[in-house]
Amino acid sequence: MDTFAFIIHPIDPKRDVSRKFPLLGRVLNERQIDFFSTFFPPVYISEIEGIRSEATGKEIKGWFIACPYTPRRMMELPARTVYKKIIQTGRLAEKLGANILGLGAFTSVVGDAGITIAKSLAVPVTTGDSFTVSVAVDAIREAAKVMEIPLETATAAVVGATGAIGQVCAELLADHVERLYLIGRREDALEELRDRLQVHARAELIMSTTMDVLADAQLILTVTSAIHDVIQPEHLQPGSVVCDVARPRDVSAMVAAARDDILVIDGGMVDVPGPVDFHFNFGFPPGKAYACMAETIALALEGRFEDYTLGKHLTRERVEEIDKISKKHGFRLSGFRSFEREVTLEQIETVRRNATRSRKVRVAQM
Ligand SMILES: NC(=O)c1ccc[n+]([C@@H]2O[C@H](COP(=O)([O-])OP(=O)(O)OC[C@H]3O[C@@H](n4cnc5c(N)ncnc54)[C@H](OP(=O)(O)O)[C@@H]3O)[C@@H](O)[C@H]2O)c1
């Protein structure tokens, strides 16, 4: 039977460590977990079974294995030290007999995004970023539809536009919307991106290094590697949609608490084909996975055991190819979720009603 392994790591240290080690999660505080994570070895988490291709009936199995570092630790430590721990975790995948290895969340962000790691391992490696792009763009287009925001005349924004995932998301969105803000921290990188996309883009492209311009956008796709939130309630206009692909999240929990007139959706959740059991709760309902996990699984179903998405320069061709492969095997964009809860069509209707109310209040105050 063909197999895969996927590396996860704690994102919210206390909550995620408790999922595997309840006692440790209870007695250690966040800073202590951060600190001790440096000395933890890679951890075997679970076997994944029940995945079956809709197209071919092929069944595969896989494993979750964990790199113990938290996002803060991965950003603080020298890249070499982090690579070493990820490679050690990758060796565990090799021992288990995995045919392909996926790098989850920050293990795919650090340094050169998988290139050094892949060179040091015999097992083929993928970051899962190509399918993450495809699912994020699909999700924001779906959300625009249900919120009745016509794409062709919409103003959109990509936050973290200079990143590996952000760049291709911007490239794809620029085909559909009227105006697109490219938001990042480095002006030179933004300029380079704008000049490259401008050649084919349908949208007017505007660069920005501040979040203030978000007030102008109806559709926002955010995908930074910041270790804390970067989008606050006051940045957003009533009725806007924010698709948060980043882990840890970019959108402050305050947005959910203070703004009932905005639709925030988690980017990157898909339904997995077959009666899958992950034997581990990573915070999603049964049968659903992150898009980056799905890329790894889809490649195993397809028998494509090769380094697939690596490095910071993703290509549109790879995004389109993995989209086809995944859809063929039965991966589907899942319903909307927001801050780990399902979003119903009734809730979307309520958001739209509240947005109309907020707009009226704003006009009255002018
Ligand atoms: N949901 C999923 O399935 C999934 C899959 C894979 C990855 N992810 C998540 O996607 C995110 C991005 O990954 P990536 O590989 O694209 O990372 P990346 O290549 O490192 O790009 C990160 C982007 O974020 C910007 N950024 C970093 N810190 C920031 C801050 N404090 N404020 C504003 N912007 C900031 C960077 O700007 P500069 O260019 O100025 O540095 C860059 O544009 C991560 O959170 C990762 O965990 C999610």
Side-chain angles (χ1 to χ4, degrees), residues 3-6 63 90 92-101 123-124 305:
T3 58
F4 67 93
F6 192 81
W63 299 274
L92 183 54
E94 291 177 342
K95 270 202 207 112
L96 287 164
N99 298 121
I100 187 160
L101 173 67
V123 62
F305 299 123

Side-chain angles (χ1 to χ4, degrees), residues 200-214:
H200 299 291
R202 168 186 188 272
E204 176 195 0
L205 303 174
I206 308 163
M207 311 181 316
S208 174
T209 51
T210 72
M211 300 291 171
D212 302 345
V213 294
L214 290 181

Side-chain angles (χ1 to χ4, degrees), residues 105-106 108-109 129 132 160-166 185-186 223-226 230 245-248 267-268 290-292 312:
F106 263 58
S108 71
V109 172
D129 285 355
T132 298
T162 53
I165 298 173
R185 293 180 301 183
R186 294 171 298 133
V223 63
T224 81
S225 54
V230 293
V245 184
R247 289 293 173 277
Y290 280 107
C292 50
K312 295 279 180 189

Side-chain angles (χ1 to χ4, degrees), residues 132-158 168-178 180 202 218-222 239-245 263 265-268 316 319-320 323 327 333-336 345 348:
T132 298
V133 169
S134 149
V135 170
V137 173
D138 275 358
I140 201 149
R141 291 171 59 183
E142 264 316 295
K145 215 184 282 167
V146 297
M147 288 290 283
E148 296 180 354
I149 300 171
L151 268 188
E152 323 73 58
T153 53
T155 297
V158 175
V168 195
C169 287
E171 183 175 345
L172 296 177
L173 277 178
D175 281 355
H176 299 284
V177 298
E178 184 166 312
L180 180 65
R202 168 186 188 272
Q218 297 150 291
L219 302 172
I220 299 162
L221 194 158
T222 185
S240 53
V241 171
V242 189
C243 176
D244 192 347
V245 184
L263 179 65
I265 55 169
D266 295 342
R316 190 178 177 136
V319 172
E320 286 164 358
D323 186 63
K327 288 198 175 131
L333 183 63
S334 228
F336 299 126
L345 287 176
I348 292 171

Side-chain angles (χ1 to χ4, degrees), residues 175-193:
D175 281 355
H176 299 284
V177 298
E178 184 166 312
R179 192 171 308 107
L180 180 65
Y181 285 101
L182 307 170
I183 305 177
R185 293 180 301 183
R186 294 171 298 133
E187 213 152 315
D188 53 339
L190 283 171
E191 232 165 73
E192 208 181 301
L193 176 68

